[in-house]
Amino acid sequence: MVRIKNRYIVVRIVPQADAKILNFHDGVLAKCVLRNVKKYFGDYGLGIVEHGFRVKYCNERTKVAIIRCLHRSHRTLTATLPLITMIGDVRAKFHTLYTGATIIQCNKFIINHQQKFLNEMVGQIVSAKERNDFIKRVMEFDLEQ
């Protein structure tokens, strides 16, 4: 029996307009990525990437997402991500932060990344209640979608 190997790609979405919260979800993100894979690599590239492709995690506040793909197609996918300029109706770019073999390693990376983000952002918040609410919202990490 052959084991199916996955790769998990952690990306940060950088909108061109200053927006605190982007209104998108994993479905919009998946359609955008697959549309651009087809645009740049054709039907063959779409066929390779589409099998095993899924957006596992998407945080609108920190603008971080985890994308799962098969091992054989991760190079095609990572070559397409920097070329994407529109996500839904928002002009934005993808920055690849990390590529890992397990989702556990990606979780560890995201927690460290979010901790750095918190350290930067908490210093700007004046109220203690707002600070606690902000920390609670950012550290939400739910993979059950």
Side-chain angles (χ1 to χ4, degrees), residues 13-17 22 81 84-87 90-94:
I13 300 158
V14 181
Q16 287 187 351
L22 293 176
L81 290 175
I84 298 173
T85 57
M86 292 289 288
I87 301 170
V90 177
R91 292 192 65 76
K93 294 188 287 185
F94 282 96

Side-chain angles (χ1 to χ4, degrees), residues 100-133:
T102 65
I103 199 161
I104 294 170
Q105 292 299 319
C106 290
N107 290 346
K108 289 178 185 177
F109 178 83
I110 287 178
I111 289 171
N112 290 336
H113 184 266
Q114 287 179 337
Q115 191 64 43
K116 290 176 187 174
F117 175 76
L118 276 176
N119 291 339
E120 293 173 5
M121 296 304 291
V122 168
Q124 299 174 2
I125 299 174
V126 178
S127 168
K129 184 180 183 304
E130 290 177 7
R131 186 176 300 133
N132 290 336
D133 290 341

